[in-house]
């Protein structure tokens, strides 16, 4: 017997939820593939994918089956015990990547928190207590805990919360000389997103990544790739680092990993992992059987040539049409990104107006994202069907036309 539902509406949000978000005017209640329905029964095309999370769309039958099967067996057991789904998921991630070991948690921020703590602990153990500086990129995003906002390169997220964590330096992204100037024997880690997601879908240059790897090697610093957004097939490779061939020492993933069920992972080598010995770090929910059963199924489906190749093909479909829309209405300066992490950079005439595009899209029953004020971001299901791509792009074109004509 389930509890009776009390009626709720969007206005309730402003009464009972902490006002740190400003959600859309409608409330989604159901999803199937790349379509979502709201309380009124209106159907929307989903190009947002829950912010690059719903890797297999909504209510994918294999994920529903994995979740419900595990739900009938064992939800939670704590890390006093291990569990089969966690062990299987770790084996699959280790087999598919540079890594030897995984640490599971519940979000991207927690995966990065673990990565930053591990990098500092490793440097402390191996080189001594003076080696604790972390260098990251201006405009980077690494999550919302105090450590991760401080490492993140956006003061608007880190100012006003009291003293920040010390020993963190920010340098311009894609600027190797700026990084070289800040590297020293005190640097314990360099943290980068292979494609800066939140701040505009901005890819790192190949030569930059190669140079960063070399600088890290020279200075005995660990290279951490934050693949919370780019990982698990998003870019058409299982992880974005595979495209560049530049291998990190620690990699974090979350978002697409659970396909909508909360989970995060930190991957690293035996040698580095050894420095998070028993008791040094922990989590109550991390690696719980429900999350791992779902994520294991996501990995099985995504890490196949069909799905990864399909992501690249879908990128081409999107790009051709987006470039045509951009040209026709003079709204985009360029379309960038890889796989199904796509950024449409607004032209000078529309700079700063990304929110207006998102609102116009919503009026046409299309969910899209912004990445900062100047970039529209698309992060749909990795298996979005051609009919949904076409319909969504038709709606986007209507939204753009309405905005331009207004
Ligand atoms: C979303 C994101 C995070 C934070 O993930 P949460 O699950 O919200 O904590 C960290 N890094 C990057 C690159 C992200 O895109």
């Amino acid at each position: 017997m389930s509890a009776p539902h009390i009626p709720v509406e969007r206005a309730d949000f402003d009464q009972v939820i902490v006002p740190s978000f400003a959600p859309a005017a409608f409330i989604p209640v159901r999803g199937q593939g790349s379509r979502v329905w709201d309380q009124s029964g209106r159907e929307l095309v989903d190009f947002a994918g829950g912010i690059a999370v719903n890797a297999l769309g909504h209510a994918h039958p294999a994920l529903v089956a994995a979740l419900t099967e595990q739900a009938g067996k064992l939800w939670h057991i704590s890390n006093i015990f291990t569990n089969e789904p966690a062990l299987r998921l770790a084996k699959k991630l280790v087999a598919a990547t540079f890594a030897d070991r995984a640490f599971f948690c519940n979000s991207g921020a927690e995966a990065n928190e673990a990565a930053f703590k591990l990098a500092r602990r490793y440097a402390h153990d191996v080189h001594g207590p003076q080696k604790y500086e972390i260098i990251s990129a201006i405009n980077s995003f690494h999550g919302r805990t105090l450590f991760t906002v401080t490492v993140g390169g956006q003061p608007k997220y880190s100012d006003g919360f009291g003293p920040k964590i010390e020993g963190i330096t920010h340098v311009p992204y894609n600027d190797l000389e700026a990084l070289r100037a800040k590297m020293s024997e005190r640097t314990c880690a360099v943290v980068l997103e292979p494609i800066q997601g939140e701040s505009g879908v901005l890819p790192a240059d190949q030569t930059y990544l190669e140079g960063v790897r070399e600088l890290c090697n020279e200075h005995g610093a660990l290279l951490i790739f934050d693949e919370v957004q780019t990982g698990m097939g998003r870019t058409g490779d299982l992880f974005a680092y595979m495209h560049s061939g530049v291998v990190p020492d620690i990699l974090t993933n979350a978002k697409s990993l659970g396909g909508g069920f909360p989970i995060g992972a930190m991957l690293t080598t035996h040698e580095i992992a050894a420095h998070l010995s028993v008791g040094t770090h922990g989590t109550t929910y991390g690696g719980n059987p429900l999350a791992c059963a779902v994520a294991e199924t996501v990995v099985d489906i995504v890490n196949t040539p069909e799905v990864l190749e399909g992501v690249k093909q879908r990128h081409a479909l999107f790009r051709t049409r987006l470039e045509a829309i951009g040209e026709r209405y003079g709204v985009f300066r360029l379309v960038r990104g890889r796989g199904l992490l796509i950024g449409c950079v607004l032209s000078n005439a529309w700079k700063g107006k990304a929110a207006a595009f998102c609102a116009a899209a919503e009026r046409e029953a299309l969910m899209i994202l912004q990445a900062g004020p100047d970039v529209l971001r698309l992060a749909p299901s990795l298996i979005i069907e051609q009919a949904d791509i076409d319909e969504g792009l038709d709606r986007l074109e209507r939204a753009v036309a309405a905005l331009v004509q207004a």
Side-chain angles (χ1 to χ4, degrees), residues 139 199-200 329-334 336 344-357 370-376 403-404:
N139 289 331
S199 64
Y329 299 93
V331 287
F332 305 148
R333 182 163 66 75
L334 89 142
R336 68 188 176 198
C344 306
V345 184
L346 296 175
S347 62
N348 280 337
W350 294 93
K351 226 171 167 343
K353 301 236 166 64
F357 282 84
Q370 60 184 106
D374 305 327
V375 179
L376 307 185
L403 202 60
V404 167

Side-chain angles (χ1 to χ4, degrees), residues 280-357:
T280 50
H281 191 58
T283 160
T284 295
Y285 287 125
N288 96 58
L290 274 183
C292 292
V294 175
E296 183 197 344
T297 311
V298 172
V299 176
D300 287 344
I301 295 172
V302 169
N303 193 22
T304 54
E306 306 81 74
V307 168
L308 295 174
E309 199 44 51
V311 170
K312 291 177 180 154
Q313 286 162 4
R314 286 167 175 79
H315 175 92
L317 290 174
F318 271 101
R319 182 180 283 257
T320 308
R321 184 83 189 275
L322 289 167
E323 284 174 347
I325 293 172
E327 239 170 73
R328 184 147 180 206
Y329 299 93
V331 287
F332 305 148
R333 182 163 66 75
L334 89 142
V335 177
R336 68 188 176 198
R338 274 210 313 277
L340 290 172
L341 182 56
I342 300 173
C344 306
V345 184
L346 296 175
S347 62
N348 280 337
W350 294 93
K351 226 171 167 343
K353 301 236 166 64
F357 282 84

Side-chain angles (χ1 to χ4, degrees), residues 51 106-110 112 141-144 193 195 197-198 226-230 252 254-255 263 377:
I51 316 189
N106 313 290
S107 67
E110 281 175 75
N112 285 329
F141 184 79
H142 298 298
R144 296 299 200 109
E193 297 162 83
I195 299 176
E198 295 303 307
D226 178 346
E227 293 226 33
V228 169
Q229 187 154 166
T230 55
T252 56
K255 293 205 165 92
I263 183 168
R377 176 175 37 158

Side-chain angles (χ1 to χ4, degrees), residues 15 40 107 187 275-276 290 300 329 336 358:
Q15 304 300 320
S40 73
S107 67
T187 310
H275 294 268
L276 280 189
L290 274 183
D300 287 344
Y329 299 93
R336 68 188 176 198
C358 293

